Amino acid sequence: MSQGGIDWMSIAIVLAGVALSITAIVWIGTPLWPEQAQRAKSWLPYILGGLALLMAISTLMSAIGG
Amino acid sequence: MSEIFRAYLERQYRRSGAVAPHDRLQVVEDLLDKARSRGVFPVSETVLGRVDPDHPAVKAILDAPPEVTGSSRKSGLFAIQEKFDMKERPKWQQALILLGIVVAIMGSTLGIVWFRAARRHARAATTPTPKPTVTINLAAPSPTVVVYTATPLPSPTPLPPTSTPTPTPIIGEPAEDPAAPVSLEIIGPPLPVYKAELDDQGRWRLPANAVQWLPDSYIRKVFAVGPALSQGWALQTGQRVRVHTRGGYVEEYVLTRRIVNAPGTQVELMQGSRPSVLVVLPHTDSTEVWLAELPEAITWAHMPPEAKEPAWRAVIVVEGAHVREAPSIHAKVLHSLPLGTLLELTGQYVQGDAFVWYAVKSPYSGWVAQGVIRILDLNQP
């Protein structure tokens, strides 16, 4: 579960929460701030992809740590 | 809601001056009523179209459920979004709702993390920490304290060996110490010497055909010769006695005196302050005891008869040495002195019972035998 004293699973959970928060902001903000939401949507795939990668690494580290 | 109908509806709101939600709802209901009753529908912001409401196809569309007509009615999250109608709300409410959603998501996330940490902490608290075990290296020898208990002398002092009528088959074990004797030479060839063994009562059972040595008697070596071996011996003063040790050294002594009727409980017999040999020859009716000393010690033993003044100092070299009333081994014992006791002698000495006796001045008055003291101030006039 933790390797070197770091709780990697908790890090993965936090990253998942960040990803959900960003998604919620973009989804709710689209009708409210269309222009800003359009610009955010262009970056959203990269942001969510990076967060998913970090989550995968954290989960892997957690699995290695046992 | 299509863009065409929205534009038309906004125009109707402006034309009717409907601002409040109630007024706008009334406008919408009027439009619905027109559509159902007269078949009127907007085709643009300012143009209306019309169909026959009684036509079966039109009636089927108007009465069909939204899923069939492909209505833009949304479900699930989109329905919630439309229901909330965020665009109708003020900006601060929009920001507050959005912030609330984000806080709820991140709060849930952090709550999960906190719960995991708390559970891990609780598990660690309940799990006993293994105490370091003390490893005892059994292979390593542990220091031991040896409490030496001085083996007391056999009490009473071992009696002179008595000849047994029947010789025992066990002669004894040979001594192993390098300083211990292995053979005794008095008359004839050297005789093998064995270690004596005392019984539970401290009695020395001497085999008739053996020569035994009293163990641990190194200074004054005490030997006993069985009657079967000493038969026909006629010892004389001046006769040489040789003791062969296990270490290969040969000690030579000279018989100096014979002790007649030696009682068995005299410390003076068994103890000596200088190298000497005590040879015990038990016979059927008596026991013959001879003292042999080093040749160079003989001159020392024969002190000039004149008394010396002032008094000499001497030290007791035998534990329990006796101070007697008279210069005789049969005299009454006045005191028993411990090892190391300093004495002041008068200088007077006499010979009695094959011993030289010194008169003691202090701390006790009496007589002590030569063998139990060592004179310190030899040349003091």
Side-chain angles (χ1 to χ4, degrees):
Chain A
M1 184 170 297
S2 64
Q3 189 174 12
I6 301 176
D7 191 357
W8 292 102
M9 184 54 69
S10 296
I11 294 177
I13 294 174
V14 171
L15 291 174
V18 172
L20 280 176
S21 298
I22 294 175
T23 303
I25 291 172
V26 173
W27 173 60
I28 296 175
T30 297
L32 303 178
W33 307 284
E35 295 181 4
Q36 294 83 348
Q38 284 298 325
R39 284 204 296 270
K41 282 182 180 179
S42 63
W43 291 100
L44 189 61
Y46 304 101
I47 295 174
L48 293 181
L51 288 174
L53 181 62
L54 292 176
M55 279 192 291
I57 293 173
S58 300
T59 306
L60 184 62
M61 295 295 288
S62 174
I64 292 176
Chain B
M1 188 186 299
S2 66
E3 294 298 325
I4 296 175
F5 184 78
R6 180 182 295 278
Y8 175 79
L9 185 60
E10 291 290 337
R11 186 170 181 270
Q12 294 302 316
Y13 289 155
R14 288 192 298 271
R15 286 186 62 184
S16 63
V19 178
H22 176 74
D23 297 333
R24 291 191 174 190
L25 185 61
Q26 187 63 44
V27 172
V28 172
E29 287 180 355
D30 291 342
L31 289 176
L32 284 175
D33 182 66
K34 288 179 183 179
R36 290 183 184 277
S37 60
R38 294 187 289 171
V40 176
F41 62 95
V43 294
S44 69
E45 184 177 348
T46 57
V47 178
L48 290 176
R50 182 176 179 181
V51 294
D52 184 6
D54 296 327
H55 192 277
V58 175
K59 289 178 72 76
I61 292 174
L62 292 176
D63 297 335
E67 293 79 11
V68 176
T69 57
S71 169
S72 63
R73 185 188 230 177
K74 299 182 177 61
S75 61
L77 297 178
F78 294 96
I80 297 176
Q81 180 186 24
E82 191 171 278
K83 179 178 181 180
F84 275 102
D85 198 7
M86 293 286 285
K87 292 188 71 175
E88 301 298 327
R89 296 180 181 274
K91 290 290 184 182
W92 67 272
Q93 284 188 8
Q94 296 172 3
L96 193 63
I97 292 173
L98 185 61
L99 182 64
I101 293 174
V102 174
V103 168
I105 294 174
M106 292 306 300
S108 302
T109 302
L110 295 177
I112 294 174
V113 174
W114 173 84
F115 177 77
R116 284 168 48 82
R119 190 176 61 178
R120 188 167 62 248
H121 181 73
R123 194 182 309 131
T126 55
T127 303
T129 304
K131 297 179 182 178
T133 57
V134 177
T135 302
I136 300 176
N137 186 2
L138 298 177
S142 58
T144 57
V145 178
V146 176
V147 179
Y148 172 76
T149 303
T151 304
L153 290 173
S155 176
T157 304
L159 302 174
T162 58
S163 61
T164 56
T166 304
T168 58
I170 300 176
I171 295 177
E173 296 292 332
E176 299 175 354
D177 191 84
V182 295
S183 64
L184 178 66
E185 182 181 351
I186 301 179
I187 293 180
L191 302 173
V193 175
Y194 303 91
K195 288 195 302 184
E197 292 183 1
L198 305 179
D199 59 14
D200 297 338
Q201 298 174 341
R203 299 179 68 86
W204 183 351
R205 297 287 183 180
L206 175 68
N209 59 345
V211 178
Q212 288 189 338
W213 165 68
L214 188 63
D216 299 329
S217 60
Y218 289 102
I219 298 178
R220 173 165 289 184
K221 296 181 175 61
V222 180
F223 296 93
V225 182
L229 298 176
S230 63
Q231 189 176 8
W233 283 12
L235 301 182
Q236 297 178 353
T237 303
Q239 191 165 356
R240 291 191 177 274
V241 177
R242 291 188 179 88
V243 178
H244 301 257
T245 64
R246 179 162 294 278
Y249 186 72
V250 180
E251 300 174 350
E252 189 168 307
Y253 303 86
V254 175
L255 293 177
T256 56
R257 65 181 75 96
R258 178 181 174 178
I259 304 172
V260 181
N261 298 326
T265 58
Q266 301 305 312
V267 175
E268 295 86 350
L269 279 177
M270 299 297 179
Q271 302 291 340
S273 61
R274 56 188 60 85
S276 55
V277 168
L278 196 69
V279 181
V280 180
L281 307 173
H283 303 293
T284 54
D285 53 350
S286 64
T287 299
E288 186 178 353
V289 181
W290 282 88
L291 179 65
E293 297 177 279
L294 294 175
E296 55 271 23
I298 295 176
T299 56
W300 191 94
H302 293 74
M303 298 299 298
E306 296 83 7
K308 304 290 185 182
E309 291 191 12
W312 295 344
R313 292 186 303 122
V315 62
I316 297 295
V317 295
V318 175
E319 179 69 26
H322 295 159
V323 177
R324 298 183 180 271
E325 187 180 32
S328 169
I329 58 177
H330 302 287
K332 178 184 175 182
V333 176
L334 300 178
H335 308 281
S336 291
L337 304 180
L339 183 69
T341 304
L342 283 176
L343 302 176
E344 190 174 337
L345 307 178
T346 62
Q348 182 183 6
Y349 66 94
V350 296
Q351 197 162 13
D353 297 334
F355 285 95
V356 175
W357 298 87
Y358 290 90
V360 181
K361 183 179 179 181
S362 66
Y364 306 104
S365 175
W367 296 85
V368 291
Q370 168 193 335
V372 300
I373 62 171
R374 177 184 292 275
I375 298 178
L376 302 176
D377 301 322
L378 177 61
N379 296 321
Q380 186 174 356

